[in-house]
Amino acid sequence: MLPSADSTNAQHVSPANGDLPPLWFLAPEGFFALPVAATPEERAARAHSFVRELYSRGDENIWEPAAPYYEAIAEMMGNTGVSYAAMGLFSTAEEDDSDGTRYEPSEGVAQCALTVAISPTDQAPGDTDTVAQGILATLSNDPYNDAIWLDLPCGPAVSCITVREYDLNPDMTADGQEAKLLTGQIQVHVPFPTGPFTAVFTLYTASMDHWNQIYGLMTAILQTLSFVDPVAEPVEKN
């Protein structure tokens, strides 16, 4: 079953180029972070750990050829400004507390993809309201966007939901027939209070039967977002 909002793993986003201010958030259990990193050595090390976690029942015959593939994907994402990327895989089986075994993928799996990108924005220090208002006005110009203002614990933000339907040709379907694919995207723009940047969280899924639960995952992530180290000791002022 999909994880609850309080089922989390600590994540610290370190921008790939090291020149951007940091941010922190908690990702619910079930998100597998891709090996986005600043150097080839870091990507290679993270890629080997990633495939062992993702394919936990596999062996070297699966892990060795898979690691370079995900390493290349992570490099491509880092080059486009993505600071964090993860695959979300969640069982859709009904909850059963009779034992502690994991549910088999054959019982149903919901999937989504999460990315975090950081882009420069023209703003005065701490002027996050003005930036958020500008983003909301821009996104609201598209009639296909469902853009709304958010008040997060870390400050103002703008959420934009888009739903798209795609036609699939017979070569892409299991039964060889034409079909339609419905997808949903939640994108949230959060201006940094610590510098002239905006964090863009994007959650994308084709598991629309579980849209409400997946939307809840994004909500849970955003409630933990912080632009200051949440475990750092506060500095006392004289």
Side-chain angles (χ1 to χ4, degrees):
M1 65 180 296
L2 292 175
S4 61
D6 58 359
S7 175
T8 56
N9 294 321
Q11 299 287 351
H12 169 210
V13 174
S14 297
N17 63 14
D19 295 330
L20 302 176
L23 57 81
W24 290 260
F25 65 90
L26 296 175
E29 183 182 357
F31 280 98
F32 299 86
L34 287 160
V36 178
T39 66
E41 293 77 16
E42 287 180 280
R43 283 194 297 271
R46 293 187 186 184
H48 282 82
S49 298
F50 170 79
V51 296
R52 283 162 173 76
E53 182 181 9
L54 182 64
Y55 305 112
S56 59
R57 297 183 182 179
D59 55 28
E60 294 296 335
N61 293 324
I62 295 176
W63 298 332
E64 285 304 315
Y69 170 77
Y70 288 108
E71 183 181 349
I73 290 178
E75 181 180 10
M76 179 183 67
M77 288 185 167
N79 290 338
T80 61
V82 170
S83 296
Y84 175 89
M87 297 170 54
L89 300 173
F90 312 103
S91 170
T92 59
E94 293 297 325
E95 185 175 10
D96 181 1
D97 294 330
S98 58
D99 59 46
T101 60
R102 285 180 175 267
Y103 294 106
E104 294 294 329
S106 60
E107 297 180 46
V109 174
Q111 303 179 45
C112 61
L114 172 67
T115 62
V116 180
I118 300 173
S119 60
T121 45
D122 185 13
Q123 68 195 75
D127 192 13
T128 53
D129 277 2
T130 300
V131 177
Q133 289 168 2
I135 293 171
L136 179 61
T138 300
L139 293 175
S140 297
N141 286 331
D142 188 336
Y144 293 100
N145 288 339
D146 180 12
I148 61 172
W149 180 279
L150 297 179
D151 286 310
L152 300 178
C154 64
V158 177
S159 171
C160 182
I161 294 176
T162 54
V163 177
R164 296 285 186 269
E165 185 176 73
Y166 300 94
D167 292 321
L168 301 181
N169 64 52
D171 294 337
M172 301 176 63
T173 62
D175 58 6
Q177 302 295 318
E178 291 185 357
K180 295 186 181 295
L181 176 67
L182 189 66
T183 66
Q185 176 182 282
I186 310 164
Q187 190 168 80
V188 181
H189 301 252
V190 191
F192 275 70
T194 55
F197 300 95
T198 293
V200 182
F201 285 71
T202 304
L203 189 63
Y204 180 86
T205 185
S207 300
M208 295 301 286
D209 289 344
H210 305 280
W211 173 257
N212 288 339
Q213 295 96 320
I214 290 173
Y215 183 91
L217 295 177
M218 179 65 115
T219 301
I221 291 169
L222 295 172
Q223 290 299 311
T224 67
L225 175 60
S226 176
F227 294 102
V228 295
D229 189 345
V231 298
E233 292 293 334
V235 178
E236 295 185 3
K237 296 182 179 180
N238 295 329

